[in-house]
Amino acid sequence: MATFPSDLAIAKGATLQPLADVAARMGIGAHLITPYGREVAKIELAAIDELADRPRAKYVLVSAITPTPLGEGKTTTTVGLGQAMRHIGRSATVAIRQPSMGPTFGIKGGAAGGGYSQVVPMETLNLHLTGDFHAVTEAHNMLSAVLDNHLFQGNALDIDQHAITWRRVLDVNDRVLRNVIVGLGTKTDGVPRQTGFDITAASEVMAIFALARSVPEMRERLGRIVVAYSRDGKPITAEDIGGAGAMAVIMRDALRPNLLQTLENTPVLVHAGPFGNIAHGNSSVVADLIGIRSGDFLITEAGFGADMGAERFFNIKCRASGLRPDAAVVVTTVRALKAHSGRHRIIAGKPLPEALFAENPDEVHAGGANLRKQIENIRLHGVSPVVAINAFPGDHPSEHAAIAEIADAVGARSAVCTHFADGGRGAIELARAVAEAAEEPSHFRFLYPDEAPLREKIDTIARKVYGADGVDYDLVAARQLDSYERNGFGNLPVCVAKTHLSISSDASLKGAPTGWRLPVREVRASVGAGFIYPICGDMRTMPGLGADPAAHRIDLDANGEIVNLS
Amino acid sequence: MATFPSDLAIAKGATLQPLADVAARMGIGAHLITPYGREVAKIELAAIDELADRPRAKYVLVSAITPTPLGEGKTTTTVGLGQAMRHIGRSATVAIRQPSMGPTFGIKGGAAGGGYSQVVPMETLNLHLTGDFHAVTEAHNMLSAVLDNHLFQGNALDIDQHAITWRRVLDVNDRVLRNVIVGLGTKTDGVPRQTGFDITAASEVMAIFALARSVPEMRERLGRIVVAYSRDGKPITAEDIGGAGAMAVIMRDALRPNLLQTLENTPVLVHAGPFGNIAHGNSSVVADLIGIRSGDFLITEAGFGADMGAERFFNIKCRASGLRPDAAVVVTTVRALKAHSGRHRIIAGKPLPEALFAENPDEVHAGGANLRKQIENIRLHGVSPVVAINAFPGDHPSEHAAIAEIADAVGARSAVCTHFADGGRGAIELARAVAEAAEEPSHFRFLYPDEAPLREKIDTIARKVYGADGVDYDLVAARQLDSYERNGFGNLPVCVAKTHLSISSDASLKGAPTGWRLPVREVRASVGAGFIYPICGDMRTMPGLGADPAAHRIDLDANGEIVNLS
């Protein structure tokens, strides 16, 4: 692998098709396509209606086992699977999230897939794309300014300064912005108070834009955002303070999905990127409403493991979109299952432990509980799982066989795939397995009904998906839940904010932990996005930069070409 | 005028030409044009070389007398004059700044010109355009994060925390961000310190991007930004802390100028928007390097009155670009000259005083000193002035005649123009006067040589342009000047940050004040942009929202169309 080319080098060697041709293969006419640069286009939302008579694609979710901090190649597999469909004579559209610029310049790097399963142009994708994230930043901070201006201009709505929930956002990894005091200076510089910044992906505006089905619905959802509470405990909304219209104007064009393509010219819709932790971590509903009529398969991904992104895909995103999934892929790697044996510690930014590379199928079996539980988490929702064994250079065939045995033992299809090194043809077997699974009748079901009380919803997710013995609420969390029920938010789905590095709420517990209880410290409400999120443990909503961030190395060369972007 | 249509209504009724046709009339081939949406394109910088053999356009600056807080229609006149050139059989390109979104949602409204002299599409222009401002925000804040991360990771360069000059930026009017404390929380949340946010237009990155002639030059300038001083007084640059490469990558595509058109299909380059106060307030050098080979005339504007934007255009922008202007328009209104009589007070957001509408040519003469001084300020640089009398509905012919008399008495051409109501044909007389003035041999000269000491440069501007008796430096300002000379920044031009509402540094002094001294409180350095800026009085670099900001009214209607954007 020493001579395997870099992602950027592969991406630069791609032969791109004109986007009008890519769109035409999706059944989308040129009148619905607006170019943004030479290699990206936006699709008009009118496409949703224009495509309504076309056949419905099979809807495939790509999820994963509980990942190591390095990630297990979920986007790469989503892209590889999309590319593979053509090799078995089927058409596919891929729908993924837009990467966040903060982490691109931090430790994580970009998120365009990798190797020969990439979305191109990767530079545009990993940088501004068409500015949708910037629109979220601008709309979010416009509301913040309107809110602080309301306080400054006399606070007619009697907002309790200590009950303001709306913060500010930037798409930068900047730890010093987590906790700030604003409004210092003189009388003309506003009302001083403590607040903070989150990364743009964590903005409720991002979650709203990912869940709205139309511009008018987005406008309404923006109006419903709860920014604060009055001194007598009444929720104060973005509509109340007169900020929702301006936000909708700033966000209007962003709601059109972005069309790109894979290295093998598979259409890719890249749209929205809500945080996978305090939000639902899925790409946009409008992209899926277009993609569902654009080919034989619509393949999308959800953040983190199946306990996180997939659960939210089923119970939050599918609730909002009305779409029903036909199959779900669980991306699995040898290294992650070995880590789930509890015998290795993988740290982002550090070399992998040597012992991880020794042939050891028993260790794979020892970590198998995680894969079994994540397969179960897919089946809980009535959806057929397919295990994608994402091959890495250091893997041994006996270890791939061990994963296949685990899947087989619970009756799940599996396939080894090498799409990173081989592109679409490396995922042909996976594509066949997915096509078979998607042909089975779907028994898709939500995990809980809308009308269940919030505590019951949290309890159901904790026990059934996480394998907890129950839930413990801190006093403040209990009070918040009561207040949300009282304020009429009790019918919303829940989005549990917990670590993604364990199925439990303790990142150090590997495999499929049992005999533990979910501790809920606090509960917040994204009323515009339409979910309640209990916070379990310390949730970072603004990352920091490391000692040697990518920002130190990413640069332009003498020809103005970008170097060291990955 | 009660039935005169709104700017937005006029703009929506425009018949736009395909941008490839607009570009073709500029001599720019389709291979140099990249569409961003249907009605905006970016022009590759390769156009500068490809156009090098075409004849050089006459280079015309549009400046103004000292404006009222409402502005006197400089952008509208720039657009109207551009449109008028076709009516006298000449071709023209217009080059203007991109409006800032903060003020668009504040009190000021957008900046696309007005009436029948507008740049279209005005909605795109006043909102995200192609995301250049967002790129500036992102690049600026990336450097801020890298800087605070340097402190957090051990401060290897021994940065003096109390000598950090780099702040953060957002394109929102948000007064509470002027003075903030960051880094609160725990040990992992960074090093606490006081800092603040400016509006994006005030970023040095904006000034750099407006002055760079190429991507490599922009990269170098970004590296030269001084972000702080070490404890032994050494300047610490963006290059030193490893942030300049990432910024250049984020800014690369933004350096390509944006092509739009007027209501009459005149090509318009909209590019960059540096603050007119602490920066030079002129659109980009690269846009002008393209426009100077794209027709018979290149018409650009500079912020505020001739003492401000025009002086910087001559001494900062022309120094950077190497271009020499051929004529300068001084936009003048009856209402502003009446205000310069000292008898009226005009306040933004409030109705104009009734007395201003009474026919009163004597009052126009009483305010004439301001016009005479601003004409002189153009001539100081060896450039021919032309007075544009920008007609408003309430004006009287005798008052227009008074302005013409003032111009005539000092030997300057003048013309009444009605381009707001009539489009290009309303500025035909102005276009003829400008064409004549531009035919005169240019004696363009800088006001001071590069090698003059900083104090001498400031003194020259204060005495010759502002009419001051001299300059007084606070102790801190004197120390800063000494340190800049010592650090090798003494050869940079200066950009005096003072009020734009008076030629003096006291906003309440109208006309052409004499018998006063310029007080310099503090001196800052934009080493990357390449100027030193003395601060005279209280300079706001982050505006606030008013009691009833435009953000409260701007919204989407039931059809998703934008309303109340102006």
Side-chain angles (χ1 to χ4, degrees):
Chain A
M1 283 295 285
T3 58
F4 198 83
S6 77
D7 287 357
L8 187 51
I10 294 172
K12 283 186 175 171
T15 306
L16 274 65
Q17 272 186 5
L19 284 172
D21 297 354
V22 175
R25 283 190 281 116
M26 300 169 73
I28 296 174
H31 65 292
L32 295 171
I33 296 292
T34 309
Y36 275 73
R38 292 177 193 275
E39 297 161 346
V40 177
K42 273 191 175 283
I43 302 177
E44 300 292 327
L45 294 186
I48 297 173
D49 285 340
E50 292 201 18
L51 296 173
D53 295 334
R54 285 172 50 99
R56 185 186 164 287
K58 293 289 180 186
Y59 193 29
V60 178
L61 176 71
V62 178
S63 183
I65 60 167
T66 301
T68 70
L70 309 175
E72 305 318 309
K74 202 163 52 219
T75 304
T76 306
T77 303
T78 306
V79 173
L81 175 60
Q83 293 183 149
M85 285 295 174
R86 191 177 54 87
H87 297 269
I88 64 166
R90 313 297 296 271
S91 64
T93 304
V94 169
I96 61 170
R97 290 164 293 166
Q98 179 179 342
S100 185
M101 280 177 81
T104 297
F105 288 87
I107 198 167
K108 184 175 164 288
Y116 287 94
S117 291
Q118 284 189 67
V119 180
V120 281
M122 79 87 98
E123 290 165 291
T124 310
L125 177 63
N126 281 317
L127 295 170
H128 311 284
L129 195 56
T130 59
D132 298 343
F133 273 40
H134 295 318
V136 171
T137 302
E138 183 77 23
H140 185 119
N141 294 326
M142 186 67 66
L143 183 59
S144 311
V146 167
L147 173 61
D148 273 296
N149 192 51
H150 185 89
L151 296 182
F152 176 74
Q153 302 288 352
N155 194 12
L157 293 168
D158 196 34
I159 289 172
D160 178 356
Q161 270 189 56
H162 304 287
I164 293 175
T165 50
W166 194 249
R167 292 159 52 95
R168 285 173 175 79
V169 297
L170 273 182
D171 195 6
V172 179
N173 283 15
D174 193 350
R175 65 169 62 72
V176 300
L177 294 179
R178 287 172 190 156
N179 302 289
V180 307
I181 295 175
V182 299
L184 299 172
T186 66
K187 199 178 162 181
T188 59
D189 298 321
V191 180
R193 64 187 187 86
Q194 186 161 354
T195 178
F197 285 71
D198 300 321
I199 194 160
T200 296
S203 167
E204 185 175 347
V205 179
M206 184 70 85
I208 287 174
F209 140 67
L211 289 170
R213 283 167 303 179
S214 67
V215 170
E217 186 188 318
M218 178 172 72
R219 171 66 184 81
E220 279 175 37
R221 283 174 177 267
L222 290 169
R224 287 201 293 268
I225 293 171
V226 173
V227 296
Y229 293 84
S230 65
R231 266 180 279 218
D232 58 3
K234 203 177 130 289
I236 306 290
T237 65
E239 199 70 60
D240 293 335
I241 61 170
M247 296 173 86
V249 167
I250 293 168
M251 287 299 299
R252 185 184 62 168
D253 291 349
L255 196 62
R256 294 178 294 156
N258 304 296
L259 177 63
L260 288 82
Q261 58 191 292
T262 71
L263 292 171
E264 300 181 11
N265 311 123
T266 317
V268 182
L269 299 169
V270 180
H271 205 213
F275 227 51
N277 218 317
I278 62 152
H280 59 295
N282 283 252
S283 59
S284 85
V285 162
V286 285
D288 286 4
L289 291 176
I290 291 171
I292 202 71
R293 302 286 177 187
S294 297
D296 297 329
F297 289 87
L298 170 60
I299 300 164
T300 187
E301 61 163 344
F304 305 139
D307 56 315
M308 300 284 287
E311 186 272 308
R312 284 121 198 233
F313 172 82
F314 297 135
N315 295 300
I316 298 178
K317 187 180 178 186
C318 289
R319 257 193 177 87
S321 70
L323 297 176
R324 298 167 61 89
D326 298 290
V329 173
V330 181
V331 177
T332 310
T333 61
V334 168
R335 73 176 182 201
L337 281 188
K338 284 179 170 177
H340 278 296
S341 73
R343 294 175 206 155
H344 305 283
R345 207 157 153 237
I346 297 178
I347 299 169
K350 304 220 167 148
L352 288 170
E354 263 308 310
L356 209 59
F357 294 103
E359 178 168 2
N360 198 339
D362 290 349
E363 210 167 75
V364 172
H365 276 291
N370 187 272
L371 174 56
R372 281 189 293 273
K373 179 63 188 135
Q374 298 292 30
I375 289 172
E376 183 188 316
N377 286 340
I378 301 296
R379 285 184 166 150
L380 271 176
H381 297 88
V383 175
S384 299
V386 177
V387 175
I389 304 168
N390 186 19
F392 275 62
D395 293 354
H396 301 87
S398 63
E399 297 169 334
H400 289 165
I403 299 178
E405 283 160 30
I406 298 166
D408 208 40
V410 295
R413 291 176 177 85
S414 72
V416 176
C417 36
T418 60
H419 46 273
F420 183 93
D422 301 321
R425 67 185 170 82
I428 288 176
E429 206 191 328
L430 175 65
R432 289 211 179 97
V434 165
E436 278 173 32
E439 281 306 322
E440 293 175 357
S442 170
H443 303 289
F444 175 65
R445 56 181 171 268
F446 298 130
L447 195 63
Y448 49 79
D450 287 352
E451 58 278 11
L454 292 172
R455 280 178 180 79
E456 189 181 312
K457 289 170 182 161
I458 299 169
D459 195 73
T460 301
I461 295 171
R463 289 176 189 268
K464 293 200 178 163
V465 179
Y466 305 158
D469 288 346
V471 185
D472 295 324
Y473 297 97
D474 277 8
L475 192 61
V476 59
R479 264 203 227 111
Q480 287 161 328
L481 282 167
D482 293 341
S483 114
Y484 298 147
E485 298 274 8
R486 219 168 34 236
N487 283 315
F489 311 148
N491 58 340
L492 296 177
V494 299
C495 178
V496 179
K498 68 163 188 70
T499 179
H500 64 281
L501 297 171
S502 170
I503 300 184
S504 78
S505 58
D506 177 348
S508 69
L509 300 180
K510 298 302 165 194
T514 53
W516 62 281
R517 297 179 63 83
L518 183 74
V520 176
R521 184 166 57 83
E522 188 192 341
V523 187
R524 299 188 198 156
S526 283
V527 181
F531 52 77
I532 298 295
Y533 60 107
I535 312 246
C536 310
D538 235 6
M539 288 300 106
R540 279 272 160 73
T541 48
M542 171 55 92
L545 292 173
D548 185 25
H552 285 178
R553 291 182 303 278
I554 295 173
D555 205 339
L556 295 177
D557 67 14
N559 303 316
E561 295 292 317
I562 297 171
V563 292
N564 296 327
L565 183 67
S566 63
Chain B
M1 282 295 285
T3 58
F4 198 82
S6 76
D7 286 357
L8 186 54
I10 293 171
K12 283 187 174 170
T15 307
L16 274 64
Q17 272 186 4
L19 283 172
D21 298 353
V22 175
R25 283 191 281 116
M26 300 169 74
I28 296 174
H31 65 293
L32 295 170
I33 295 293
T34 309
Y36 275 74
R38 293 177 192 275
E39 297 161 345
V40 177
K42 272 192 175 284
I43 302 177
E44 301 291 328
L45 294 186
I48 296 173
D49 285 341
E50 291 201 20
L51 296 174
D53 294 336
R54 286 172 50 99
R56 185 185 164 289
K58 293 290 181 185
Y59 193 29
V60 178
L61 175 71
V62 178
S63 183
I65 60 167
T66 302
T68 69
L70 308 178
E72 305 317 309
K74 204 164 51 224
T75 304
T76 306
T77 302
T78 306
V79 173
L81 175 59
Q83 293 183 149
M85 285 295 173
R86 192 175 55 86
H87 295 270
I88 65 165
R90 312 299 295 272
S91 64
T93 304
V94 169
I96 61 169
R97 290 165 291 165
Q98 179 180 341
S100 185
M101 279 177 83
T104 297
F105 288 88
I107 198 168
K108 184 175 163 287
Y116 287 94
S117 291
Q118 283 190 68
V119 181
V120 281
M122 77 87 99
E123 290 165 292
T124 310
L125 177 64
N126 282 318
L127 295 171
H128 311 284
L129 196 55
T130 59
D132 297 343
F133 273 41
H134 295 318
V136 170
T137 303
E138 183 76 21
H140 185 118
N141 294 325
M142 186 66 67
L143 183 59
S144 312
V146 167
L147 173 61
D148 274 295
N149 193 51
H150 184 90
L151 296 182
F152 176 74
Q153 302 287 351
N155 195 10
L157 292 170
D158 196 34
I159 290 172
D160 178 355
Q161 271 188 54
H162 304 288
I164 293 176
T165 50
W166 194 250
R167 292 159 48 96
R168 287 175 174 77
V169 298
L170 273 182
D171 194 6
V172 178
N173 283 15
D174 192 351
R175 65 169 62 75
V176 300
L177 294 179
R178 288 173 191 156
N179 303 289
V180 308
I181 295 176
V182 298
L184 299 173
T186 67
K187 201 179 160 180
T188 60
D189 298 320
V191 180
R193 64 186 188 84
Q194 186 161 354
T195 178
F197 286 70
D198 300 321
I199 194 161
T200 296
S203 167
E204 186 175 346
V205 179
M206 183 70 84
I208 287 174
F209 140 67
L211 288 170
R213 282 167 305 178
S214 67
V215 169
E217 186 188 317
M218 179 173 71
R219 171 66 184 81
E220 278 174 37
R221 285 175 177 266
L222 290 169
R224 286 202 294 269
I225 292 172
V226 173
V227 295
Y229 293 84
S230 65
R231 264 179 281 215
D232 59 2
K234 202 178 131 291
I236 306 291
T237 66
E239 200 70 59
D240 294 334
I241 60 169
M247 295 172 86
V249 168
I250 294 168
M251 287 300 299
R252 185 184 64 169
D253 291 349
L255 196 62
R256 294 178 294 159
N258 305 296
L259 178 63
L260 287 83
Q261 57 192 293
T262 71
L263 291 172
E264 299 181 12
N265 312 120
T266 316
V268 183
L269 299 169
V270 180
H271 205 214
F275 227 51
N277 218 318
I278 62 152
H280 59 294
N282 283 251
S283 58
S284 86
V285 162
V286 285
D288 286 5
L289 291 176
I290 291 171
I292 202 71
R293 302 286 177 186
S294 297
D296 298 328
F297 289 86
L298 170 59
I299 300 164
T300 188
E301 61 163 343
F304 303 141
D307 56 315
M308 301 283 289
E311 186 273 308
R312 285 123 196 231
F313 172 82
F314 296 135
N315 295 300
I316 299 178
K317 186 180 179 186
C318 289
R319 257 192 176 87
S321 70
L323 297 176
R324 299 168 59 90
D326 298 289
V329 172
V330 182
V331 176
T332 310
T333 61
V334 168
R335 75 177 181 201
L337 281 188
K338 285 180 171 176
H340 278 296
S341 74
R343 293 177 207 155
H344 306 282
R345 208 157 153 237
I346 297 178
I347 299 169
K350 302 222 169 145
L352 288 170
E354 262 309 309
L356 208 60
F357 294 103
E359 177 167 4
N360 197 338
D362 291 349
E363 210 167 73
V364 171
H365 275 289
N370 187 272
L371 174 56
R372 281 189 293 273
K373 180 62 188 134
Q374 299 291 31
I375 289 172
E376 184 188 315
N377 286 342
I378 301 296
R379 286 183 166 150
L380 271 176
H381 297 88
V383 175
S384 300
V386 176
V387 175
I389 304 168
N390 186 20
F392 275 62
D395 294 353
H396 302 87
S398 63
E399 297 169 333
H400 291 163
I403 299 177
E405 283 161 29
I406 297 166
D408 208 40
V410 294
R413 291 177 178 86
S414 72
V416 176
C417 36
T418 60
H419 45 273
F420 182 94
D422 301 323
R425 68 185 169 82
I428 287 174
E429 206 190 328
L430 175 66
R432 290 212 177 93
V434 166
E436 279 174 30
E439 281 306 323
E440 292 175 358
S442 171
H443 303 289
F444 175 64
R445 56 182 171 267
F446 298 130
L447 195 63
Y448 49 79
D450 286 353
E451 59 277 11
L454 291 172
R455 281 178 179 77
E456 189 182 312
K457 289 170 182 160
I458 299 168
D459 196 72
T460 302
I461 295 171
R463 288 176 191 269
K464 293 200 179 163
V465 179
Y466 305 159
D469 287 346
V471 185
D472 296 324
Y473 297 98
D474 277 8
L475 192 60
V476 59
R479 265 204 228 111
Q480 286 161 327
L481 282 168
D482 293 341
S483 114
Y484 298 146
E485 299 274 9
R486 220 168 34 236
N487 283 315
F489 312 148
N491 59 341
L492 295 176
V494 297
C495 178
V496 180
K498 68 164 188 71
T499 179
H500 64 281
L501 296 172
S502 170
I503 300 184
S504 78
S505 59
D506 177 348
S508 70
L509 300 180
K510 298 303 166 194
T514 54
W516 61 282
R517 297 179 63 83
L518 183 74
V520 176
R521 185 164 57 84
E522 187 192 343
V523 187
R524 299 187 198 157
S526 283
V527 180
F531 52 77
I532 299 293
Y533 60 106
I535 311 242
C536 310
D538 235 7
M539 286 301 106
R540 280 272 161 72
T541 49
M542 173 54 94
L545 292 172
D548 184 27
H552 285 178
R553 291 181 302 277
I554 295 173
D555 205 338
L556 296 177
D557 67 14
N559 302 317
E561 295 292 318
I562 297 172
V563 294
N564 297 326
L565 182 67
S566 63

